[in-house]
Amino acid sequence: MPVDIAVSQSDAELTAALRELASDAPVEELYRRHRTAVLSYARRCCRDPHTAEDLVSEAFARTLQAVRSGGGPEAAWRPYLRTVVRRIAVDWAGTARRTELSADFEHWLANLPDTPQTEGGEERILRLEDTSIVLRAFRSLPERWQAVLWHTVVEEEPATQVGPLLGVGASGVGSLASRAREGLREAYLAAHAESASLSEECRHYGSLLGAVVRRTGCRPNKDLDRHLAQCAHCRSALIDLTDLNQRLGSALPAGSCCGAAQRTWRPNGRRPRERR
């Protein structure tokens, strides 16, 4: 595949070419597209730029190996790479390379809740992240939706920059992002309804939360207001939904290298069905 052709292809098309092992052009193009952002993230986890470069190189190597083995990302390379960076940093924390990690990362790692001795660092992180309904909902989305939300909302990239990554025009990015946002709200409500801690009353009123957020001028529901006044779990869900509707970037925080929300899905895990 000539390099000039690779530049015009979406991340998903480049991933398919990678799996065919046709040429190195897809690797070079994906590296060009994502290196700067991933390196910026890695620098927050490391004490010096050289270590951050090592971290990024290993993250790309692991990701390429996963893709060529049939796993890894398809459309959402950026959040996947950031996830791998954090996983490697956690691995390093258990070795002599711990001294190369930033003080912020060490502080975050040291302040994770206590866990059984048999549970490793990555297992602990996964367990903590699974307690977040927002993150579970985000990971359940098709990868294409995850990608457009990550690039447009979390990293605040313009549509002209995001479009080529997804193989759509700039005008199509807004439409895709709108569908992805609605899908995330629906996924959140579904995850909230499935929570084992909910009572029957919570499940009854939970279905109304989405309407309250989307239609701010709708007639108040006195029964729902009474339930929210008494139920901290549903109040928290309403706050999360408001963030999803108005401030998605704060619901999926990306600013800290130590944020549990950086993991958008499990590498090599089962992918959701693609939706366009």
mmCIF file of all heavy atoms in Angstrom, residues 209-221 245-246:
data_model
loop_
_atom_site.group_PDB
_atom_site.id
_atom_site.type_symbol
_atom_site.label_atom_id
_atom_site.label_comp_id
_atom_site.label_asym_id
_atom_site.label_seq_id
_atom_site.Cartn_x
_atom_site.Cartn_y
_atom_site.Cartn_z
ATOM 1 N N LEU A 209 -35.480 9.196 34.042
ATOM 2 C CA LEU A 209 -34.356 10.116 34.193
ATOM 3 C C LEU A 209 -33.910 10.690 32.852
ATOM 4 O O LEU A 209 -33.573 11.868 32.752
ATOM 5 C CB LEU A 209 -33.181 9.403 34.874
ATOM 6 C CG LEU A 209 -33.426 8.944 36.317
ATOM 7 C CD1 LEU A 209 -32.198 8.222 36.844
ATOM 8 C CD2 LEU A 209 -33.767 10.129 37.206
ATOM 9 N N GLY A 210 -33.873 9.849 31.822
ATOM 10 C CA GLY A 210 -33.445 10.321 30.513
ATOM 11 C C GLY A 210 -34.337 11.423 29.981
ATOM 12 O O GLY A 210 -33.859 12.417 29.415
ATOM 13 N N ALA A 211 -35.640 11.290 30.185
ATOM 14 C CA ALA A 211 -36.575 12.307 29.714
ATOM 15 C C ALA A 211 -36.386 13.613 30.470
ATOM 16 O O ALA A 211 -36.490 14.699 29.897
ATOM 17 C CB ALA A 211 -38.014 11.809 29.874
ATOM 18 N N VAL A 212 -36.098 13.522 31.751
ATOM 19 C CA VAL A 212 -35.884 14.721 32.560
ATOM 20 C C VAL A 212 -34.681 15.503 32.043
ATOM 21 O O VAL A 212 -34.708 16.729 31.928
ATOM 22 C CB VAL A 212 -35.669 14.347 34.039
ATOM 23 C CG1 VAL A 212 -35.218 15.557 34.846
ATOM 24 C CG2 VAL A 212 -36.952 13.777 34.633
ATOM 25 N N VAL A 213 -33.607 14.795 31.697
ATOM 26 C CA VAL A 213 -32.387 15.449 31.235
ATOM 27 C C VAL A 213 -32.577 16.048 29.849
ATOM 28 O O VAL A 213 -32.166 17.176 29.575
ATOM 29 C CB VAL A 213 -31.217 14.443 31.228
ATOM 30 C CG1 VAL A 213 -30.009 15.034 30.517
ATOM 31 C CG2 VAL A 213 -30.856 14.056 32.651
ATOM 32 N N ARG A 214 -33.218 15.307 28.940
ATOM 33 C CA ARG A 214 -33.347 15.765 27.556
ATOM 34 C C ARG A 214 -34.362 16.887 27.426
ATOM 35 O O ARG A 214 -34.245 17.742 26.571
ATOM 36 C CB ARG A 214 -33.738 14.601 26.653
ATOM 37 C CG ARG A 214 -32.584 13.671 26.326
ATOM 38 C CD ARG A 214 -32.945 12.744 25.186
ATOM 39 N NE ARG A 214 -34.020 11.842 25.553
ATOM 40 C CZ ARG A 214 -33.841 10.648 26.107
ATOM 41 N NH1 ARG A 214 -32.635 10.229 26.367
ATOM 42 N NH2 ARG A 214 -34.862 9.877 26.413
ATOM 43 N N ARG A 215 -35.390 16.886 28.274
ATOM 44 C CA ARG A 215 -36.459 17.893 28.173
ATOM 45 C C ARG A 215 -36.488 18.706 29.451
ATOM 46 O O ARG A 215 -37.298 18.470 30.344
ATOM 47 C CB ARG A 215 -37.794 17.205 27.913
ATOM 48 C CG ARG A 215 -37.848 16.472 26.571
ATOM 49 C CD ARG A 215 -39.189 15.824 26.348
ATOM 50 N NE ARG A 215 -39.432 14.760 27.310
ATOM 51 C CZ ARG A 215 -40.600 14.094 27.409
ATOM 52 N NH1 ARG A 215 -41.608 14.411 26.626
ATOM 53 N NH2 ARG A 215 -40.740 13.130 28.289
ATOM 54 N N THR A 216 -35.586 19.675 29.520
ATOM 55 C CA THR A 216 -35.441 20.440 30.760
ATOM 56 C C THR A 216 -36.691 21.243 31.114
ATOM 57 O O THR A 216 -36.913 21.589 32.266
ATOM 58 C CB THR A 216 -34.243 21.400 30.648
ATOM 59 O OG1 THR A 216 -34.422 22.222 29.477
ATOM 60 C CG2 THR A 216 -32.940 20.632 30.510
ATOM 61 N N GLY A 217 -37.535 21.549 30.118
ATOM 62 C CA GLY A 217 -38.725 22.337 30.404
ATOM 63 C C GLY A 217 -39.969 21.501 30.623
ATOM 64 O O GLY A 217 -41.069 22.042 30.683
ATOM 65 N N CYS A 218 -39.803 20.193 30.755
ATOM 66 C CA CYS A 218 -40.989 19.334 30.895
ATOM 67 C C CYS A 218 -41.618 19.510 32.285
ATOM 68 O O CYS A 218 -40.973 19.955 33.225
ATOM 69 C CB CYS A 218 -40.625 17.871 30.664
ATOM 70 S SG CYS A 218 -39.501 17.179 31.882
ATOM 71 N N ARG A 219 -42.852 19.141 32.374
ATOM 72 C CA ARG A 219 -43.612 19.296 33.615
ATOM 73 C C ARG A 219 -43.003 18.439 34.726
ATOM 74 O O ARG A 219 -42.714 17.266 34.531
ATOM 75 C CB ARG A 219 -45.054 18.869 33.372
ATOM 76 C CG ARG A 219 -45.963 19.072 34.567
ATOM 77 C CD ARG A 219 -47.391 18.719 34.187
ATOM 78 N NE ARG A 219 -48.287 18.885 35.302
ATOM 79 C CZ ARG A 219 -49.596 18.681 35.238
ATOM 80 N NH1 ARG A 219 -50.137 18.313 34.072
ATOM 81 N NH2 ARG A 219 -50.361 18.858 36.303
ATOM 82 N N PRO A 220 -42.760 19.019 35.909
ATOM 83 C CA PRO A 220 -42.149 18.261 37.003
ATOM 84 C C PRO A 220 -42.991 17.049 37.397
ATOM 85 O O PRO A 220 -44.219 17.083 37.343
ATOM 86 C CB PRO A 220 -42.097 19.277 38.152
ATOM 87 C CG PRO A 220 -42.190 20.613 37.486
ATOM 88 C CD PRO A 220 -43.056 20.402 36.273
ATOM 89 N N ASN A 221 -42.318 15.988 37.763
ATOM 90 C CA ASN A 221 -42.968 14.777 38.250
ATOM 91 C C ASN A 221 -42.754 14.735 39.761
ATOM 92 O O ASN A 221 -41.644 14.487 40.229
ATOM 93 C CB ASN A 221 -42.358 13.549 37.564
ATOM 94 C CG ASN A 221 -43.070 12.264 37.946
ATOM 95 O OD1 ASN A 221 -43.306 12.003 39.124
ATOM 96 N ND2 ASN A 221 -43.400 11.459 36.949
ATOM 97 N N ASN A 245 -25.144 14.645 28.979
ATOM 98 C CA ASN A 245 -25.919 15.486 28.071
ATOM 99 C C ASN A 245 -25.242 16.833 27.811
ATOM 100 O O ASN A 245 -25.310 17.365 26.704
ATOM 101 C CB ASN A 245 -27.311 15.721 28.666
ATOM 102 C CG ASN A 245 -28.307 16.221 27.633
ATOM 103 O OD1 ASN A 245 -28.492 15.592 26.594
ATOM 104 N ND2 ASN A 245 -28.945 17.336 27.907
ATOM 105 N N GLN A 246 -24.564 17.374 28.829
ATOM 106 C CA GLN A 246 -24.028 18.726 28.715
ATOM 107 C C GLN A 246 -22.504 18.785 28.774
ATOM 108 O O GLN A 246 -21.890 19.610 28.110
ATOM 109 C CB GLN A 246 -24.606 19.609 29.832
ATOM 110 C CG GLN A 246 -26.116 19.741 29.780
ATOM 111 C CD GLN A 246 -26.648 20.556 30.946
ATOM 112 O OE1 GLN A 246 -25.915 20.910 31.867
ATOM 113 N NE2 GLN A 246 -27.926 20.859 30.918
#
